[in-house]
Amino acid sequence: MDTPDHRPRVAAERRERMRARLLDAAFDLAATGGPEAVTIDAVIARAGVARGSFYKYFDAPATLLQALAVEVSDAMIRAMHPFMEQLADPAERMATGVRTVLRLVRQSPRMGAFLARSGWPAVQRSHSLFTLVGVDIAAGMASGRLRAMHIDVALSALTGTVLGAMHAITSHDTPADLPEQAAAAILRALGLPADEAEDLATPPLALPTL
């Protein structure tokens, strides 16, 4: 009987652990000093690895920051999705998701500034923005709940507004209801009447723990 060769799996797990180690180090540095603190020397010192280990996974700090932004934003969306699934209306899910993201950013401005400056929203089609949020938008358009348009246009309306709101929240004083204003603006852009958009963007909101 042939003995299974576990070496490829073990090697892949080792590579993933090292990549996660570098990402964790970069996140710690960015959380305390901003993206500018994420240098190769700082990352390898924080991770306790050799310089060669860095270059096996990333060619520059900018590449590492982009990967980290994808990981963080993906984790945020996935953490919120179970709450969103409890809502039957795709428009209500969208409004709740936008408000939740922006209120979490207000709670943790360093995280919001990092996401806004380092590559969120992500462009990879495997990102939860497309696989979860995009599916909700497509379902809303298919049912007639949202105005029909190309999915990229709808996602651009969503992510562009959220990104701009993130920049605003983390750079200067903004109204307490900026998350609600942003959510209502997105719903109007996607075809909902102004009064309905306002109603969906203002109910009480419980924030998840990330």
Side-chain angles (χ1 to χ4, degrees):
M1 180 180 297
D2 293 336
T3 302
D5 187 355
H6 298 294
R7 287 174 296 180
R9 176 180 59 80
V10 172
E13 290 174 351
R14 186 182 301 115
R15 288 193 299 271
E16 186 57 32
R17 284 196 300 270
M18 177 57 72
R19 183 176 182 275
R21 191 171 176 177
L22 294 168
L23 288 168
D24 285 344
F27 185 79
D28 288 343
L29 291 165
T32 56
E36 297 82 0
V38 182
T39 65
I40 294 176
D41 287 340
V43 169
I44 63 176
R46 179 64 63 93
V49 301
R51 183 175 293 267
S53 296
F54 181 96
Y55 285 112
K56 285 181 181 179
Y57 298 89
F58 305 103
D59 58 8
T63 309
L64 172 56
L65 283 168
Q66 175 63 38
L68 180 58
V70 170
E71 294 279 353
V72 173
S73 57
D74 185 80
M76 179 184 287
I77 293 173
R78 288 190 177 279
M80 294 188 308
H81 194 65
F83 296 88
M84 304 300 103
E85 283 187 319
Q86 300 175 25
L87 306 174
D89 180 11
E92 186 178 5
R93 284 200 297 270
M94 200 177 317
T96 303
V98 169
R99 294 172 65 204
T100 300
V101 166
L102 294 179
R103 289 197 172 275
L104 288 171
V105 165
R106 177 161 277 158
Q107 278 189 355
S108 180
R110 285 185 182 273
M111 178 185 69
F114 166 72
L115 289 173
R117 295 165 62 187
S118 302
W120 197 94
V123 296
Q124 288 88 339
R125 289 287 171 166
S126 60
H127 191 274
S128 296
L129 181 67
F130 297 95
T131 61
L132 297 177
V133 181
V135 168
D136 281 346
I137 293 176
M141 292 191 292
S143 68
R145 180 73 170 123
L146 304 176
R147 179 186 299 139
M149 62 185 76
H150 194 279
I151 188 63
D152 286 340
V153 175
L155 284 169
S156 294
L158 170 67
T159 58
T161 302
V162 170
L163 185 60
M166 280 185 178
H167 277 292
I169 288 171
T170 58
S171 62
H172 56 266
D173 291 337
T174 55
D177 69 340
L178 186 71
E180 286 67 38
Q181 291 189 41
I186 291 167
L187 293 181
R188 291 196 301 271
L190 296 182
L192 266 69
D195 56 349
E196 186 176 7
E198 185 74 18
D199 288 342
L200 289 176
T202 53
L205 182 68
L207 294 183
T209 301
L210 298 182

